[in-house]
mmCIF file of all heavy atoms in Angstrom:
data_model
loop_
_atom_site.group_PDB
_atom_site.id
_atom_site.type_symbol
_atom_site.label_atom_id
_atom_site.label_comp_id
_atom_site.label_asym_id
_atom_site.label_seq_id
_atom_site.Cartn_x
_atom_site.Cartn_y
_atom_site.Cartn_z
ATOM 1 N N ASN A 55 -15.179 -0.739 -0.332
ATOM 2 C CA ASN A 55 -16.135 -1.638 0.331
ATOM 3 C C ASN A 55 -15.488 -3.007 0.618
ATOM 4 O O ASN A 55 -14.783 -3.526 -0.220
ATOM 5 C CB ASN A 55 -17.387 -1.828 -0.551
ATOM 6 C CG ASN A 55 -18.225 -0.598 -0.623
ATOM 7 O OD1 ASN A 55 -18.457 -0.093 -1.722
ATOM 8 N ND2 ASN A 55 -18.707 -0.106 0.467
ATOM 9 N N THR A 56 -15.734 -3.517 1.814
ATOM 10 C CA THR A 56 -15.269 -4.833 2.208
ATOM 11 C C THR A 56 -16.479 -5.571 2.832
ATOM 12 O O THR A 56 -17.585 -5.040 2.821
ATOM 13 C CB THR A 56 -14.130 -4.750 3.255
ATOM 14 O OG1 THR A 56 -14.685 -4.210 4.455
ATOM 15 C CG2 THR A 56 -12.971 -3.890 2.762
ATOM 16 N N LYS A 57 -16.211 -6.722 3.419
ATOM 17 C CA LYS A 57 -17.283 -7.429 4.117
ATOM 18 C C LYS A 57 -17.473 -6.904 5.540
ATOM 19 O O LYS A 57 -18.323 -7.344 6.269
ATOM 20 C CB LYS A 57 -16.991 -8.925 4.159
ATOM 21 C CG LYS A 57 -17.039 -9.570 2.778
ATOM 22 C CD LYS A 57 -16.652 -11.041 2.854
ATOM 23 C CE LYS A 57 -16.656 -11.671 1.469
ATOM 24 N NZ LYS A 57 -16.248 -13.069 1.499
ATOM 25 N N GLY A 58 -16.626 -5.926 5.956
ATOM 26 C CA GLY A 58 -16.767 -5.320 7.282
ATOM 27 C C GLY A 58 -15.657 -5.650 8.237
ATOM 28 O O GLY A 58 -14.562 -6.090 7.854
ATOM 29 N N SER A 59 -15.932 -5.517 9.520
ATOM 30 C CA SER A 59 -14.918 -5.623 10.578
ATOM 31 C C SER A 59 -14.131 -6.907 10.511
ATOM 32 O O SER A 59 -12.889 -6.930 10.614
ATOM 33 C CB SER A 59 -15.567 -5.534 11.960
ATOM 34 O OG SER A 59 -16.254 -4.285 12.111
ATOM 35 N N ASN A 60 -14.834 -8.036 10.339
ATOM 36 C CA ASN A 60 -14.178 -9.333 10.401
ATOM 37 C C ASN A 60 -13.262 -9.603 9.196
ATOM 38 O O ASN A 60 -12.417 -10.486 9.250
ATOM 39 C CB ASN A 60 -15.197 -10.443 10.526
ATOM 40 C CG ASN A 60 -15.826 -10.487 11.898
ATOM 41 O OD1 ASN A 60 -15.278 -9.965 12.868
ATOM 42 N ND2 ASN A 60 -16.999 -11.100 12.007
ATOM 43 N N GLU A 61 -13.418 -8.850 8.145
ATOM 44 C CA GLU A 61 -12.508 -8.941 7.021
ATOM 45 C C GLU A 61 -11.432 -7.849 7.132
ATOM 46 O O GLU A 61 -10.272 -8.101 6.741
ATOM 47 C CB GLU A 61 -13.213 -8.785 5.673
ATOM 48 C CG GLU A 61 -12.289 -8.963 4.495
ATOM 49 C CD GLU A 61 -12.983 -8.901 3.130
ATOM 50 O OE1 GLU A 61 -13.888 -8.032 2.967
ATOM 51 O OE2 GLU A 61 -12.604 -9.688 2.297
ATOM 52 N N ASN A 62 -11.793 -6.681 7.657
ATOM 53 C CA ASN A 62 -10.828 -5.574 7.709
ATOM 54 C C ASN A 62 -9.623 -5.894 8.612
ATOM 55 O O ASN A 62 -8.503 -5.507 8.286
ATOM 56 C CB ASN A 62 -11.529 -4.321 8.211
ATOM 57 C CG ASN A 62 -12.477 -3.743 7.167
ATOM 58 O OD1 ASN A 62 -12.407 -4.119 5.989
ATOM 59 N ND2 ASN A 62 -13.363 -2.852 7.587
ATOM 60 N N ILE A 63 -9.861 -6.641 9.725
ATOM 61 C CA ILE A 63 -8.759 -6.921 10.617
ATOM 62 C C ILE A 63 -7.668 -7.772 9.900
ATOM 63 O O ILE A 63 -6.508 -7.410 9.895
ATOM 64 C CB ILE A 63 -9.234 -7.580 11.912
ATOM 65 C CG1 ILE A 63 -10.031 -6.550 12.748
ATOM 66 C CG2 ILE A 63 -8.040 -8.084 12.744
ATOM 67 C CD1 ILE A 63 -10.710 -7.142 13.986
ATOM 68 N N PRO A 64 -8.055 -8.932 9.310
ATOM 69 C CA PRO A 64 -7.033 -9.684 8.583
ATOM 70 C C PRO A 64 -6.415 -8.952 7.403
ATOM 71 O O PRO A 64 -5.216 -9.068 7.107
ATOM 72 C CB PRO A 64 -7.727 -10.975 8.127
ATOM 73 C CG PRO A 64 -9.162 -10.706 8.299
ATOM 74 C CD PRO A 64 -9.323 -9.701 9.355
ATOM 75 N N LEU A 65 -7.198 -8.120 6.725
ATOM 76 C CA LEU A 65 -6.623 -7.331 5.619
ATOM 77 C C LEU A 65 -5.600 -6.332 6.111
ATOM 78 O O LEU A 65 -4.575 -6.117 5.457
ATOM 79 C CB LEU A 65 -7.755 -6.621 4.845
ATOM 80 C CG LEU A 65 -8.662 -7.498 3.996
ATOM 81 C CD1 LEU A 65 -9.803 -6.661 3.372
ATOM 82 C CD2 LEU A 65 -7.897 -8.227 2.916
ATOM 83 N N LEU A 66 -5.831 -5.757 7.294
ATOM 84 C CA LEU A 66 -4.842 -4.864 7.898
ATOM 85 C C LEU A 66 -3.616 -5.655 8.305
ATOM 86 O O LEU A 66 -2.479 -5.215 8.079
ATOM 87 C CB LEU A 66 -5.442 -4.160 9.109
ATOM 88 C CG LEU A 66 -6.463 -3.057 8.804
ATOM 89 C CD1 LEU A 66 -7.254 -2.700 10.088
ATOM 90 C CD2 LEU A 66 -5.800 -1.811 8.247
ATOM 91 N N GLU A 67 -3.821 -6.827 8.893
ATOM 92 C CA GLU A 67 -2.689 -7.641 9.355
ATOM 93 C C GLU A 67 -1.833 -8.089 8.179
ATOM 94 O O GLU A 67 -0.632 -8.248 8.309
ATOM 95 C CB GLU A 67 -3.203 -8.850 10.135
ATOM 96 C CG GLU A 67 -3.831 -8.459 11.493
ATOM 97 C CD GLU A 67 -4.576 -9.603 12.157
ATOM 98 O OE1 GLU A 67 -5.071 -10.516 11.453
ATOM 99 O OE2 GLU A 67 -4.682 -9.605 13.396
ATOM 100 N N GLN A 68 -2.451 -8.288 7.020
ATOM 101 C CA GLN A 68 -1.723 -8.705 5.825
ATOM 102 C C GLN A 68 -1.171 -7.543 5.041
ATOM 103 O O GLN A 68 -0.504 -7.732 4.020
ATOM 104 C CB GLN A 68 -2.662 -9.536 4.926
ATOM 105 C CG GLN A 68 -3.145 -10.828 5.557
ATOM 106 C CD GLN A 68 -4.452 -11.343 4.911
ATOM 107 O OE1 GLN A 68 -4.811 -10.936 3.779
ATOM 108 N NE2 GLN A 68 -5.150 -12.211 5.579
#
Side-chain angles (χ1 to χ4, degrees):
N55 290 121
T56 66
K57 294 177 182 177
S59 300
N60 287 340
E61 184 177 41
N62 289 345
I63 292 172
L65 289 176
L66 287 165
E67 291 170 333
Q68 296 159 17

